[in-house]
């Protein structure tokens, strides 16, 4: 667990809901009610309820139970990188 | 229902209204306006002449019943990058890039019912106001209490409108706490929101309350922790942290 990473300043933390626009841009739908299972502690949380750190060069989403980094998003002028090693899976309602 | 793609659009400023010393409300006419759910936000993007871009999120203050335009209320953070621009530079008739409405997590509408407890600090009252304006527009009588922390009475955003709503006697009550300078003769709360205060305000609703907490991150942290210790079911607590802003 990387608790002491520089992005983990509690006063700067927001909710995953604050990244809803970026997530919707990537997935084409609202993702804030999508469940992520944490690969670290196996607990479930809605993406909107994750701990979000948005003041770094990218975005880091962390598990509210164990602080494990569930996903990282970095945008460059030519690409969006979404690294999600910290998620066992995402579970979302089908659209339609 | 397939959602339309979230796109940036140019919102035109049709009105700017000072709310308090530190806050202003901006009305934007939107060419691709879409009805929002109370509590949702828009992202605002600024682009410098050299191409540098920066963006921030702002909650929608207006209810979805207001068509084709949205209102945002912004607190001026003196050393901030975006909010001083909105306050000091943006003028009526200007255009601003926005995208939204965004976020399905921090939302309430009358179909969700209550009893409802809204807890806000500083500009954190903005999305709560969208919920209250929607509740009023729908003539809802869902039992609703708001606990609102401000530095002083002059810093209470939407004060007159909130007093009007409370006077309507439709099941809405507002509780204020002043952290720096309570008005003369004030007999109510005069400290930061704490567990004892929350317990008093939530009392008639007990563990049935649906709670929305919004404001500076440290305030939201304190309130959310206190609610969890009161054993309020976690699914009934929704938070929106604004970051290191204000209060
Ligand atoms: C979902 C959501 C909804 C929001 N809704 C509203 C709203 O309705 N109204 C409203 O007024 N605000 C709202 N906010 C806050 C808003 O998005 C901005 O954060 C706020 O306006 C400040 O932006 P700024 O560019 O003016 O200041 P910034 O330049 O972002 O700085 C803000 C403050 O944080 C400090 N700061 C910034 N970065 C760091 C850092 N890395 N380390 C330490 N300190 C730092 C600065 O010194 C400054 O004091 C919302 C935030 C979110 C996430
Ligand atoms: Zn975890």
């Amino acid at each position: 667990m990387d608790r002491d990473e520089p992005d983990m300043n509690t006063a700067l933390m927001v909710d995953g809901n604050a990244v809803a626009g970026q997530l919707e841009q990537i997935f084409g739908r609202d993702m804030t009610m999508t469940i992520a299972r944490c690969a670290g502690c196996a607990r479930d949380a809605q993406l909107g309820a994750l701990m979000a750190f948005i003041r770094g060069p990218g975005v880091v989403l962390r598990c509210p139970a164990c602080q494990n980094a569930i996903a990282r998003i970095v945008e460059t002028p030519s690409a969006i990188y979404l690294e999600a090693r910290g998620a066992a899976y995402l579970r979302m309602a089908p659209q339609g | 229902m397939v959602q339309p793609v979230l796109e940036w659009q140019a919102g035109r400023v049709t009105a700017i209204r000072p709310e308090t010393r530190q806050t202003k409300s901006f009305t934007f006419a939107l060419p691709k306006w879409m009805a929002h759910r109370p509590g949702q936000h828009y992202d605002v993007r600024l682009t410098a002449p050299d191409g540098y871009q920066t963006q921030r999120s702002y909650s929608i203050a207006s209810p979805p019943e207001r068509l084709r335009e949205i209102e945002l209320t912004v607190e001026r953070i003196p050393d901030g990058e975006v909010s001083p621009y909105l306050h000091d530079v943006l003028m009526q008739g200007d255009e601003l890039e926005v995208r939204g409405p965004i976020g399905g997590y921090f939302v309430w509408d009358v179909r969700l019912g209550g009893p409802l407890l809204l807890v806000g600090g500083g500009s954190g009252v903005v999305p709560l106001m969208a919920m209250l304006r929607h509740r009023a527009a729908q003539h809802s009588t869902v039992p609703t209490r708001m606990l609102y922390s401000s530095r002083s009475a002059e810093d209470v955003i939407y004060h007159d409108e909130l007093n009007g709503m409370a006077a309507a006697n439709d099941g809405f009550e507002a509780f204020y706490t002043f952290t720096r300078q309570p008005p003369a003769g004030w007999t109510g709360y005069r400290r930061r929101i704490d567990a004892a205060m929350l317990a008093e305000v939530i009392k008639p609703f007990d563990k049935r309350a649906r709670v929305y907490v919004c404001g500076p991150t440290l305030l939201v942290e304190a309130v959310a922790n206190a609610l969890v210790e009161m054993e309020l079911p976690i699914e009934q607590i929704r938070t929106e942290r604004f970051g290191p802003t204000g209060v």
Side-chain angles (χ1 to χ4, degrees), chain A residues 14-20 22-24 26-27 29-38 44-53 59-64 70-73 82 84 86-92, chain B residues 103-106 239-241:
Chain A
V14 293
D15 300 86
N17 195 52
V19 199
Q22 203 174 11
L23 292 171
E24 188 168 333
I26 298 171
F27 289 94
R29 58 185 284 171
D30 177 54
M31 294 295 285
T32 55
M33 300 304 281
T34 292
I35 302 287
R37 172 153 300 178
C38 175
D44 290 345
Q46 287 155 331
L47 292 186
L50 297 182
M51 304 161 75
F53 297 87
V59 166
V60 185
L61 293 171
R62 291 180 180 274
C63 171
I70 290 191
R72 292 188 169 83
I73 307 169
L82 171 66
Y89 60 74
L90 298 182
R91 186 176 86 231
M92 59 197 104
Chain B
Y105 174 74
F106 193 80
T239 54
E240 185 85 283
R241 293 169 175 84

Side-chain angles (χ1 to χ4, degrees), chain A residues 10-15 17-18 20-22 24-25 28-30 32-33 46 48-49 55 95-96, chain B residues 1 3 6 8 41 43 56-57 99 102-106 217-218 221 238-244:
Chain A
T10 319
L12 300 180
M13 178 176 97
V14 293
D15 300 86
N17 195 52
Q22 203 174 11
E24 188 168 333
Q25 201 89 66
R29 58 185 284 171
D30 177 54
T32 55
M33 300 304 281
Q46 287 155 331
R55 295 306 184 129
Q95 240 178 342
Chain B
M1 190 186 73
Q3 291 179 4
L6 188 60
W8 291 102
H41 63 268
D43 289 342
R56 297 288 185 272
S57 300
R99 71 173 178 195
I102 297 169
Y105 174 74
F106 193 80
T217 293
L218 295 177
E221 281 292 288
R238 294 285 156 99
T239 54
E240 185 85 283
R241 293 169 175 84
F242 275 7

Side-chain angles (χ1 to χ4, degrees), chain B:
Chain B
M1 190 186 73
V2 176
Q3 291 179 4
V5 186
L6 188 60
E7 278 180 288
W8 291 102
Q9 56 177 312
R12 182 172 297 279
V13 181
T14 55
I16 301 178
R17 190 179 66 246
E19 297 279 3
T20 64
R21 287 171 296 187
Q22 247 74 255
T23 56
K24 282 184 183 174
S25 289
F26 302 82
T27 306
F28 294 93
L30 299 181
K32 293 176 204 146
W33 180 88
M34 256 176 64
H36 60 274
R37 300 183 69 198
Q40 285 192 300
H41 63 268
Y42 270 72
D43 289 342
V44 165
R45 179 165 76 179
L46 303 184
T47 306
D50 67 359
Y52 166 78
Q53 289 188 324
T54 187
Q55 71 185 54
R56 297 288 185 272
S57 300
Y58 292 100
S59 304
I60 308 162
S62 48
E65 286 78 10
R66 201 160 137 190
L67 309 179
R68 289 178 292 281
E69 58 182 30
I70 55 160
E71 196 172 289
L72 308 178
T73 302
V74 179
E75 175 179 356
R76 189 179 186 285
I77 307 295
D79 60 344
E81 192 177 354
V82 173
S83 61
Y85 173 86
L86 300 177
H87 270 252
D88 308 343
V89 182
L90 195 69
M91 309 252 276
Q92 193 176 328
D94 287 352
E95 286 189 340
L96 188 72
E97 267 194 303
V98 300
R99 71 173 178 195
I102 297 169
Y105 174 74
F106 193 80
V107 295
W108 179 83
D109 57 35
V110 291
R111 286 171 310 168
L112 286 173
L116 187 62
L117 174 63
L118 308 176
V119 184
S123 53
V125 72
V126 176
L128 310 180
M129 195 60 182
M131 297 174 189
L132 289 173
R133 285 170 167 163
H134 163 69
R135 178 184 176 280
Q138 297 293 322
H139 308 288
S140 160
T141 55
V142 167
T144 302
R145 291 184 152 205
M146 184 172 71
L147 176 57
Y148 180 8
S149 172
S150 311
R151 294 189 185 104
S152 73
E154 291 75 55
D155 295 305
V156 175
I157 311 172
Y158 319 126
H159 210 166
D160 292 344
E161 193 177 345
L162 287 169
N163 287 340
M165 284 175 171
N169 261 318
D170 64 359
F172 169 65
E173 291 171 272
F175 299 81
Y176 299 94
T177 183
F178 299 105
T179 54
R180 295 228 181 123
Q181 196 173 21
W186 177 251
T187 55
Y189 298 123
R190 43 174 77 218
R191 57 183 200 270
R192 286 170 188 271
I193 297 175
D194 56 26
M197 197 186 293
L198 280 166
E200 283 172 20
V201 176
I202 207 171
K203 190 130 202 263
F205 300 163
D206 197 38
K207 296 203 169 50
R208 293 170 301 128
R210 274 172 187 282
V211 191
Y212 292 80
V213 190
C214 183
T217 293
L218 295 177
L219 176 147
V220 175
E221 281 292 288
V223 171
N225 290 339
L227 292 169
V228 169
E229 290 205 348
M230 288 160 67
E231 290 174 356
L232 200 80
I234 193 116
E235 321 80 66
Q236 286 165 229
I237 310 170
R238 294 285 156 99
T239 54
E240 185 85 283
R241 293 169 175 84
F242 275 7
T245 320
V247 180

